[in-house]
Amino acid sequence: MGISQYLKEIGRGVRGARALTREQAADLFAQVLDGSVSDLEIGAFCLAMRIKGETAAEMAGFLDATEARLNAFPASDRPLVVLPSYNGARKLPVLTPLLALLLAREGLPVLLHGMRTEARRVTAQEVLLALDIPALEAPEKLANGTLAHISTAQLQPGLARLLAVREVVGLRNPGHSVAKLIAPSTGPTLLVGSYTHPEYLEVLCGTCALRGMNALLSRGLEGEVCADPRRAPRYDAFVHGQHLPVQAQQPGTAPEVPGLPSSIDAASTAHYTRAVLAGALPTPPALAQQVEYIVQLSRKVASNTSAARTA
């Protein structure tokens, strides 16, 4: 069905708009990714969905279309830990590279992917470059204990184009949610996901359940997947789509984080990251806890995947 018909369904405002089925959402998003619709139609789609909001079925459909078009990484020996990074630093240093390196040190294959979506923020990719970790030009098999990062354009050019619409209209669109939920590998993955607004957790959980995902969800640091170093957030896990509550939100906020730089620039953040990895500064307890949960969940995903293959 042409995109104009879908726009009539989703573009009737908050009260009049109708939700798409998973299959319809996949068809619509495929047209957007494949570039078969005009810029005007893409703008209409972005604004209509911004007003209506996505359902879990629509998000599942958007992801179906995206993952069918991904340049995927070959399967790793262990579940590939996927860290989407699209928000960057605004007030506090972006600690997603530190989380990624702590996970790699635990022997996990780790992939960080993303792109700049806001001009004034410091990105995780900039910090990784400051740590002398170059970006990949194309997907490749990642060994255990390896961290790699790659741009969204290398994974799915159409998705990168959709994310860039934000520079024109000034608003997020479904592409931002999709980018944070993709599993760019032919083998088992463990997504580390985040949300900013608590009400969005319901949609995320519904999407993970519908698509049988492996994921650890929490309220991250300024939209990033790394834990806020000052707080212990709520964690929700999914293994093959089954919901496993992990930790409730813990009260209290740490007054300070030892050694955390007041500047958010890439060089200062890289210096702090190196100091933590070298043991010169302590790992923030919130990040240490997040690493522990991810390692445990990775083992569970691997065990369940092995059991399913032998069943």
Side-chain angles (χ1 to χ4, degrees):
M1 188 163 66
I3 191 173
S4 62
Q5 297 301 311
Y6 292 128
L7 292 176
K8 289 179 181 179
E9 298 295 319
I10 64 176
R12 300 178 185 272
V14 177
R15 296 183 180 179
R18 299 176 185 175
L20 302 177
T21 66
R22 179 171 177 173
E23 293 74 18
Q24 289 174 328
D27 182 35
L28 166 58
F29 212 69
Q31 295 179 49
V32 172
L33 294 177
D34 292 345
S36 59
V37 299
S38 69
D39 290 346
L40 183 60
E41 288 169 324
I42 290 178
F45 162 68
C46 292
L47 291 176
M49 291 302 301
R50 177 70 176 184
I51 294 170
K52 186 186 84 64
E54 305 97 349
T55 65
E58 288 171 335
M59 282 301 308
F62 295 161
L63 283 162
D64 291 342
T66 304
E67 294 196 353
R69 291 162 172 77
L70 280 178
N71 296 321
F73 279 69
S76 298
D77 296 333
R78 299 177 68 177
L80 179 64
V81 178
V82 180
L83 304 179
S85 183
Y86 289 84
N87 288 61
R90 183 169 61 94
K91 295 180 179 179
L92 293 175
V94 57
L95 299 183
T96 309
L98 174 58
L99 172 62
L101 288 163
L102 289 170
L103 291 169
R105 192 163 68 179
E106 293 292 329
L108 299 176
V110 183
L111 173 66
L112 186 150
H113 66 84
M115 61 180 277
R116 180 179 297 283
T117 59
E118 290 190 52
R120 292 177 292 181
R121 295 199 180 195
V122 179
T123 68
Q125 291 78 9
E126 290 175 303
V127 175
L128 288 171
L129 292 175
L131 289 165
D132 300 320
I133 303 175
L136 294 180
E137 295 296 327
E140 61 184 47
K141 182 176 179 179
L142 299 186
N144 294 339
T146 299
L147 163 64
H149 67 111
I150 195 168
S151 71
T152 312
Q154 300 296 334
L155 294 175
Q156 219 303 312
L159 181 58
R161 289 194 301 269
L162 183 58
L163 294 177
V165 172
R166 182 173 188 171
E167 298 177 13
V168 179
V169 301
L171 296 171
R172 294 178 72 259
N173 63 64
H176 294 81
S177 298
V178 169
K180 292 184 176 184
L181 291 172
I182 57 175
S185 174
T186 59
T189 60
L190 172 55
L191 171 76
V192 181
S194 68
Y195 54 92
T196 302
H197 305 291
E199 59 271 17
Y200 191 58
L201 177 60
E202 182 178 348
V203 174
L204 284 179
C205 289
T207 303
C208 289
L210 281 173
R211 301 198 77 249
M213 294 172 62
N214 303 313
L216 181 68
L217 307 177
S218 67
R219 192 170 183 178
L221 175 61
E222 296 184 348
E224 286 286 314
V225 298
C226 57
D228 187 325
R230 305 164 300 176
R231 303 184 181 96
R234 169 180 172 174
Y235 283 103
D236 291 88
F238 284 83
V239 177
H240 299 309
Q242 181 181 358
H243 184 208
L244 305 171
V246 175
Q247 174 179 286
Q249 173 74 47
Q250 303 298 302
T253 299
E256 63 177 350
V257 179
L260 189 71
S262 56
S263 175
I264 65 171
D265 65 275
S268 297
T269 305
H271 179 77
Y272 170 75
T273 299
R274 286 193 177 100
V276 172
L277 292 171
L281 288 172
T283 301
L287 263 72
Q289 181 68 82
Q290 186 177 25
V291 169
E292 182 178 341
Y293 285 149
I294 293 170
V295 170
Q296 292 174 357
L297 194 56
S298 175
R299 291 175 183 151
K300 193 173 189 66
V301 170
S303 176
N304 284 25
T305 301
S306 177
R309 287 172 178 168
T310 57

